[in-house]
Amino acid sequence: MTTSRGFAAPQAKDALGPFTFERRAVGPTDIHIDIAFCGVCHSDIHQVHDEWGGGGIFPMVPGHEIVGTVTAVGNEVTKFAVGDLAGVGCFVDSGRTCRSCAEGLEQYCEKGMVATYNGRDKDGQPTYGGYSSDMVVDEAYALTIPKSLDLAGVAPLLCAGITTYSPLRHWKITTGQKVGVVGLGGLGHMALKFAKAFGAHVVQFTTSSGKIADAKRLGADEVVLSTDATAMAAHAGSFDFMLDTVSGEHDYMQYLNLLKRDGTMTLLGVPERPAMLHPFPLIMGRRSLAGSLIGGIAETQEMLDFCGTHNITADVEVIAMPEINAGYERMLKNDVKYRFVIDMKTLPA
Ligand code: NAP
Ligand code: ZN
C-alpha cells in the first residue's frame, strides 16, 4: 500500500478539502503515476452533488482527466517505462470477458467498467480519482501521451476529448456535413475543434452571449444564441448531426427540429432530472435521438495520437487545488473558458 494525498468531498454536496488515503501496491501489470494535472469535468460536480441517483461513495476524490509521469512499473509491464508520460480517463478496469470489452468498447462492459472514482475496484475497495498526488493503474487502462503537446491542455482530452471524438467518428462526420454543437463548455469546445478537424461546417449553440467571439476564434463557422428564436428558426431542418453537451435541464425538442430528415442528435450531457420529449420532432423527418458514453481505450489512444498530429489540446485555465470549490461555483454559472485544470503541485503537503 502507498499513502496518497488528495482532495475529497466527505459527504454528498460538501465542499472538497484535504484527504489522505491508501492506494494498492504496484502489481505485476500496474504502473504508478505521479499526477501532474487533472481536468475538472462537470461529471465531477454531478457526482459530488450525488445528482445521478444510486448513491455516491464518500469520501469522494473526483477527477478522471489525469496526466502525469510514470514513477514505477510492475515486472510484467510492457507499454510504459519509468519517466514516460501516461494518462488515465474515466475508467481503470472492466470485466475483460464480454463482447464490448473484446471489441475495445470497455466503457460499455456488460459487467460494468470500474470507474476511476466513485466506483468499486475488483477487490471491492472504493476507487479514488485524480484530484490527488499519485495513482496506481493497470497499464491496459492507461494511455500514452504525445510528447509534443502542452501537458495541462492534454488532461481534458482524457474525458472531454474522447467523449466528443468518439460520437463524431461513430456517426462518420466528414467534409461537407453540417454539425451543431450545443453548449460551449469543456465538452462543447472539444466537439467544436474535432468537428472542424473532420471537415464539417460547424454551428455552435450557446446560451452565453459572452462566448460568441470565442466560439468563432475556436473555429465555429456560425454561432447561434439559443435564446434568439429567429436565429434558431433560420436553421430549421438543416443539420446532419448535432451533439448536445449541456449539463443542465433544457428543451431537446428545439434542437431536434433543426435536424434534416434522417438526421441524428446525440446526447452527451447528463442533467439531474429527466426531460420532456414529444414524439413529433422525431416522427416528422424520421430523426434519431441517441446517446454516447466516453470511448474505449483503443479509440482514446487513437484520439490522443490524432491530437498529437494535428496539435489539438483543450483551452484551459490552470487552477490551484485549494481553488476547486470556487471553480465548481464558476462552472455552475457557465463561467469557464473552457476547462479548469488543477496543477497538482499545488496540493497541500
Ligand atoms: P461544462 O464545462 O460545465 O459545460 C456545460 C455547458 O452547457 C455550459 O458551459 C453551458 O454552455 C451549457 N449549459 C449549462 N447549463 C445549461 C442549461 N440549463 N441550459 C442550457 N445550456 C446550459 O460541462 P462539461 O464538463 O462539458 O460536461 C457537460 C455534460 O456532459 C455534463 O452533464 C457531464 O456530466 C456530461 N458528460 C458526459 C459524458 C459522456 O460520456 N456522455 C462524459 C463527460 C461528461 P453555454 O454557456 O455555451 O450555453
Ligand atoms: Zn468527464
Side-chain angles (χ1 to χ4, degrees), residues 91 94 96-110 141 166 170 295-300 302:
F91 54 94
S94 63
R96 307 188 188 207
T97 54
C98 72
R99 197 169 59 98
S100 293
C101 286
E103 292 176 10
L105 297 167
E106 300 90 348
Q107 74 275 31
Y108 303 117
C109 174
E110 287 153 28
Y141 293 80
S166 183
H170 180 76
I297 294 295
E299 194 174 44
T300 305
E302 176 191 306

Side-chain angles (χ1 to χ4, degrees), residues 41 43 64-65 90 159 339:
C41 179
S43 302
H64 58 207
E65 295 185 336
C90 297
C159 174
R339 196 56 136 191

Side-chain angles (χ1 to χ4, degrees), residues 15 33 71 77 134 149 186 226 301 317 328 341:
I33 302 170
T71 48
V77 166
D134 61 306
L149 299 175
S226 51
Q301 191 62 61
E317 185 178 333
Y328 279 8
V341 170

Side-chain angles (χ1 to χ4, degrees), residues 321-333:
M321 189 70 255
E323 294 176 303
I324 187 64
N325 295 305
Y328 279 8
E329 290 302 316
R330 279 184 54 195
M331 280 174 76
L332 289 168
K333 290 188 219 144

Side-chain angles (χ1 to χ4, degrees), residues 40-44 46 52 64 90 159-160 163 182-188 204-208 211 226 245-250 267-271 292-294 331-332 334-336 338-339:
V40 181
C41 179
H42 208 111
S43 302
D44 301 347
H46 289 306
W52 288 343
H64 58 207
C90 297
C159 174
T163 300
V182 187
L184 188 56
L187 267 61
Q204 178 70 51
F205 294 88
T206 180
T207 60
S208 306
K211 294 180 183 172
S226 51
T245 73
V246 172
S247 52
E249 278 91 43
H250 62 294
L267 304 182
L268 299 177
V270 192
S292 184
L293 177 66
I294 41 179
M331 280 174 76
L332 289 168
N334 303 336
D335 175 26
V336 52
Y338 282 89
R339 196 56 136 191

Side-chain angles (χ1 to χ4, degrees), residues 5-279:
R5 290 171 297 118
F7 254 50
Q11 291 295 334
K13 299 186 170 57
D14 279 355
L16 276 68
F19 176 64
T20 301
F21 58 100
E22 300 294 320
R23 299 227 187 243
R24 68 168 184 263
V26 176
T29 60
D30 286 338
I31 61 173
H32 178 268
I33 302 170
D34 262 2
I35 300 174
F37 295 102
C38 184
V40 181
C41 179
H42 208 111
S43 302
D44 301 347
I45 302 180
H46 289 306
Q47 291 179 89
V48 165
H49 291 180
D50 212 5
E51 289 175 355
W52 288 343
I57 302 168
F58 292 91
M60 185 186 293
V61 178
H64 58 207
E65 295 185 336
I66 300 163
V67 290
T69 304
V70 177
T71 48
V73 297
N75 56 17
E76 292 172 21
V77 166
T78 57
K79 229 165 73 175
F80 294 95
V82 170
D84 285 351
L85 295 175
V88 179
C90 297
F91 54 94
V92 288
D93 210 334
S94 63
R96 307 188 188 207
T97 54
C98 72
R99 197 169 59 98
S100 293
C101 286
E103 292 176 10
L105 297 167
E106 300 90 348
Q107 74 275 31
Y108 303 117
C109 174
E110 287 153 28
K111 292 186 176 157
M113 62 177 180
V114 177
T116 301
Y117 70 88
N118 194 23
R120 297 241 171 234
D121 217 331
K122 287 180 171 168
D123 59 5
Q125 294 302 308
T127 53
Y128 296 113
Y131 296 5
S132 59
S133 52
D134 61 306
M135 75 186 298
V136 176
V137 62
D138 191 303
E139 67 161 342
Y141 293 80
L143 287 307
T144 299
I145 305 296
K147 290 195 188 69
S148 56
L149 299 175
D150 168 62
L151 203 52
V154 168
L157 301 178
L158 276 304
C159 174
I162 183 58
T163 300
T164 51
Y165 181 94
S166 183
L168 291 168
R169 284 295 196 212
H170 180 76
W171 275 276
K172 300 186 168 46
I173 298 314
T174 186
T175 309
Q177 289 183 314
K178 185 171 172 185
V179 169
V181 175
V182 187
L184 188 56
L187 267 61
H189 93 293
M190 290 312 306
L192 171 50
K193 290 185 186 201
F194 286 131
K196 278 306 294 176
F198 300 164
H201 178 92
V202 183
V203 182
Q204 178 70 51
F205 294 88
T206 180
T207 60
S208 306
S209 54
K211 294 180 183 172
I212 291 175
D214 252 357
K216 291 199 173 132
R217 175 184 61 78
L218 289 163
D221 296 291
E222 299 174 63
V223 187
V224 174
L225 203 54
S226 51
T227 47
D228 179 342
T230 310
M232 291 291 282
H235 288 275
S238 67
F239 285 88
D240 296 287
F241 186 72
M242 300 190 90
L243 264 187
D244 186 322
T245 73
V246 172
S247 52
E249 278 91 43
H250 62 294
D251 178 12
Y252 296 132
M253 293 186 284
Q254 70 174 142
Y255 296 101
L256 287 171
N257 281 320
L258 305 188
L259 292 171
K260 280 182 185 165
R261 193 200 72 226
D262 291 322
T264 298
M265 177 158 101
T266 296
L267 304 182
L268 299 177
V270 192
E272 182 176 7
R273 282 177 283 274
M276 289 291 291
L277 187 67
H278 196 279

